[in-house]
């Protein structure tokens, strides 16, 4: 569908596959009117990084909107009863493999008085199920209420069936677990359709081995972290390590498949082989590809908050969790392939966090840059996107920042902000 | 009269503790960071891992410098990769003063004349970008100190972080 035409469709129209049309009804008209979004699609008002009301609105309109949020991978919870805790926007959830092996996402709040049921990052619920500490209400791995303490004198119409844990709709793709709280989210395969080829390359048939995760807090708004992935322009400017070892991308592109609807990103690039790099490190295996036929990399953003990449030999997903207006947790999650030799697993273990992790060769700079953008966002005015913008539609060159526009197009559509004018100058 | 063996054991214990103090002074002082690799033995390992991964037996570590080469490489990464566009060797993307606070420290005998040194620690970092003091990590050191060449050297330093969610990225070793 032509994007220009689709912009004319009314806000409540739905496309045939059930996905959301161009614009949601404004979620909070007064608030949105307060933020002046320029007509051009390459300007971003800085208020969106500093407005606490908008942040609260985003937790609903984006994270519990008609999207699928990446919440984990099946290999993180391999056995029945295994769970991990997570957040979908502001909603605390338990991602769990049930007693019969099915993956589910339960709200981590007792149906009685809302007590957090499980704490800590992960565990196995065991035979007893989840028992709330407050009044000993107990749930099974499907979230069904199985027992309450001392139910005498409850109202006569009390039925345990009415007090199960709230659940998100849950589907998996290549073992990656996605959740949605919105009835209008399309089937996951439709939502991911244009990313399928890239996801298949990275996730394969889903037979991955979980190696561990590292979480770090970036002092920046969640949108700044995500838009940074769409930005190919900063890569050589900011990541000095690439210049030092003379690692370059020899071609590649940044696609924004589905840009007229969901705003995902799929970036592909082909980088300098390790034997042609400037060997400034004694151990250059950081930049070495041993498990793939070439140095082709993929990096994807599954809108709004999931990142999937196979950079060098590092198979990584990132789960981006907004904590506060200016604090965002990034969970870097590392995988091997089930068929890997032990040497290959070890190579991935040594390489992954050393390159793409909080103490990795090329992550610290992103944190530093994004913190600085956040700190000065109170200056008001607009951030501007230029490189690659004369091209109107994807694919873009891998060095362009133009794809950022499509992230914000999808974002504006979800919140009900006015969409950019087709006639605005660029 | 004190037996010679006891005196020697006390001297080695003191030397191991002195090494810990020197370590802290080096990693807290950007101008001395080049001394950091020399605190390690010729074959050595430096591991920073969250308690979550450590106790679950998951191999992913925040830092896994499992050879002296990787330990020396860390210095290159600090000085050249993170050198904020190479403008100055001591100017980093998130410049700030790290400050280790080391609490209770204990020394036990290990194998082959090595000593095991444990300590509780935390690191505060006062960031130049906004001047705010930030509690970076809280955790535990488990060091293996080797005397094979006479002087005490770190054979292995394991840094276990209670703070499984890192509160910030960091430049200098923990």
């Amino acid at each position: 569908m032509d994007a220009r035409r689709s912009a004319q469709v009314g806000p409540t129209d739905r496309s045939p596959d059930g996905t959301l049309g161009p614009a949601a009804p404004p979620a909070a008209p007064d608030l949105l009117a307060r933020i002046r979004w320029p007509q051009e699609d390459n300007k971003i008002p800085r208020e969106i990084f500093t407005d606490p009301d908008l942040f609260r609105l985003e937790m609903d309109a984006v994270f519990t909107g008609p999207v699928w949020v990446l919440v984990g991978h099946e290999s993180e919870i391999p056995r029945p009863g295994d769970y991990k805790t997570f957040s979908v926007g502001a909603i605390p959830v338990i991602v769990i493999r049930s007693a019969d092996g099915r993956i589910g996402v339960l709200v981590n709040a007792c149906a009685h008085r809302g007590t957090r049921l499980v704490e800590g990052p992960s565990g196995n619920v065991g035979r007893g199920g989840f028992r709330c500490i407050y009044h000993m209400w107990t749930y099974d791995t499907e979230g069904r209420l199985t027992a309450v303490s001392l139910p005498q004198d409850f109202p006569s119409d009390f039925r345990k069936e009415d007090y199960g844990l709230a659940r998100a709709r849950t589907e998996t793709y290549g073992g990656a677990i996605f959740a949605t709280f919105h009835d209008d989210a399309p089937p996951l395969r439709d939502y991911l359709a244009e990313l399928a080829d890239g996801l298949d390359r990275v996730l394969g048939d889903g037979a991955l081995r979980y190696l561990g995760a590292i979480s770090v807090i970036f002092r920046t708004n969640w949108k700044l972290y995500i838009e940074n992935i769409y930005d190919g322009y900063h890569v050589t400017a900011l990541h000095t390590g690439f210049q030092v070892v003379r690692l370059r991308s020899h071609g590649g592109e940044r696609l924004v498949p589905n840009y007229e609807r969901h705003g995902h990103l799929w970036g592909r690039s082909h980088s300098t082989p390790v034997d042609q790099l400037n060997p400034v490190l004694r151990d250059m295996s950081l930049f070495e590809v041993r498990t793939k036929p070439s140095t082709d990399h993929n990096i994807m953003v599954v809108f709004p908050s999931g990142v999937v990449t196979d950079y060098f030999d590092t198979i990584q997903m990132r789960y981006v969790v907004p904590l506060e207006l200016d604090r965002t947790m990034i969970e870097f999650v590392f995988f091997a392939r089930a068929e890997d030799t032990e040497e290959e697993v070890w190579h991935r273990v040594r390489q992954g966090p050393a390159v793409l992790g909080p103490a990795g060769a090329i992550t610290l700079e992103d944190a530093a840059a994004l913190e600085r953008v956040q700190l000065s966002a109170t200056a008001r005015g607009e951030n501007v996107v230029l490189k690659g913008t004369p091209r109107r539609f994807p694919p873009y060159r891998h060095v362009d920042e133009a794809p950022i526009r499509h992230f914000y197009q999808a974002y504006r559509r979800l919140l009900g902000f006015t969409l950019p004018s087709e006639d605005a100058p660029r | 009269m004190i037996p010679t063996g006891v005196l020697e054991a006390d001297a080695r214990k003191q030397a191991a503790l002195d090494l810990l103090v020197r370590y802290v002074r080096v990693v807290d002082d950007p101008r001395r960071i080049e001394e950091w690799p020399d605190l390690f033995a010729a074959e050595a390992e430096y591991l920073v891992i969250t308690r979550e991964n450590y106790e679950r037996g998951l191999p992913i570590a925040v830092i896994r410098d499992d050879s002296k080469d990787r330990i020396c490489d860390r210095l290159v990464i600090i000085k050249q990769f993170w050198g904020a566009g190479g403008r100055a060797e001591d100017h980093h993307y998130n410049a700030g003063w790290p400050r280790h606070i080391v609490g209770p420290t204990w020394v036990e005998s290990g194998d082959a004349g090595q000593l095991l040194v444990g300590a509780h620690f935390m690191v505060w970092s006062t960031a130049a970008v906004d001047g705010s003091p930030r509690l970076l990590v809280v955790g535990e050191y488990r060091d293996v100190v080797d005397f094979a060449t006479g002087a005490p050297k770190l054979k292995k330093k394991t840094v276990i972080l209670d703070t499984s969610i890192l509160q910030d990225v960091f430049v200098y070793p923990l």
Side-chain angles (χ1 to χ4, degrees), chain A residues 238 240 282 350 371-372, chain B residues 56 66 73 93 134 166:
Chain A
L238 178 68
T240 315
R282 296 181 186 188
R350 295 176 82 247
E371 178 172 359
R372 282 156 171 77
Chain B
R56 288 181 67 188
D66 56 4
D73 285 346
Y93 280 119
R134 302 170 176 183
L166 298 173

Side-chain angles (χ1 to χ4, degrees), chain A residues 121-122 211 213-217 219 238 240 244 281-283 286 350 353 360-361 364-365 368 371-372 375, chain B residues 52-53 56 58-62 64 66 69-70 72-73 80-82 85 93 129 134 165-170:
Chain A
S122 63
L211 298 176
I214 308 169
S215 298
V216 62
I217 292 171
R219 289 155 192 266
L238 178 68
T240 315
V244 175
L281 301 180
R282 296 181 186 188
D283 182 344
L286 253 65
R350 295 176 82 247
L364 178 122
E365 308 94 287
E371 178 172 359
R372 282 156 171 77
L375 277 170
Chain B
E52 154 91 352
N53 288 0
R56 288 181 67 188
L58 294 168
I60 285 297
V62 180
R64 184 180 286 280
D66 56 4
D69 279 351
R70 298 248 297 190
C72 293
D73 285 346
Q80 296 187 35
F81 286 30
W82 294 338
Y93 280 119
V129 63
R134 302 170 176 183
I165 298 172
L166 298 173
Q167 300 298 297
D168 207 343
V169 293
F170 55 92

Side-chain angles (χ1 to χ4, degrees), chain A residues 76 121-123 209-219 237-245 280-287 327 329 332 334 345-346 348-354 357-365 367-369 371-372 375, chain B residues 45 48 50 52-53 56-77 80-86 91-95 125 127-130 132-136 161 163-172:
Chain A
E76 295 176 60
S122 63
R209 173 173 159 190
Y210 174 58
L211 298 176
I214 308 169
S215 298
V216 62
I217 292 171
F218 277 26
R219 289 155 192 266
L238 178 68
H239 297 301
T240 315
F242 286 150
Q243 301 165 25
V244 175
V245 300
V280 295
L281 301 180
R282 296 181 186 188
D283 182 344
M284 290 291 284
S285 67
L286 253 65
F287 303 107
R327 289 173 76 239
M329 188 180 81
F332 295 84
F334 298 89
V345 171
W346 202 240
R348 296 190 204 272
V349 166
R350 295 176 82 247
Q351 181 185 72
I362 53 163
T363 297
L364 178 122
E365 308 94 287
E371 178 172 359
R372 282 156 171 77
L375 277 170
Chain B
E45 184 171 1
V48 178
T50 60
E52 154 91 352
N53 288 0
R56 288 181 67 188
L58 294 168
I60 285 297
V62 180
I63 295 175
R64 184 180 286 280
D65 290 343
D66 56 4
S67 66
K68 188 67 181 273
D69 279 351
R70 298 248 297 190
I71 289 168
C72 293
D73 285 346
R74 184 151 300 280
L75 203 57
V76 177
I77 292 169
Q80 296 187 35
F81 286 30
W82 294 338
H91 178 70
H92 291 99
Y93 280 119
N94 67 345
S125 181
V129 63
D130 66 351
S132 65
R134 302 170 176 183
L135 178 60
L136 194 59
L161 304 177
T163 35
S164 283
I165 298 172
L166 298 173
Q167 300 298 297
D168 207 343
V169 293
F170 55 92
V171 171
Y172 299 105

Side-chain angles (χ1 to χ4, degrees), chain A residues 161-179:
Chain A
E161 300 78 53
D162 296 336
Y163 290 89
L165 298 177
R167 299 179 65 104
R169 250 169 83 203
T170 308
E171 291 187 36
T172 63
Y173 188 93
I177 306 168
F178 294 84

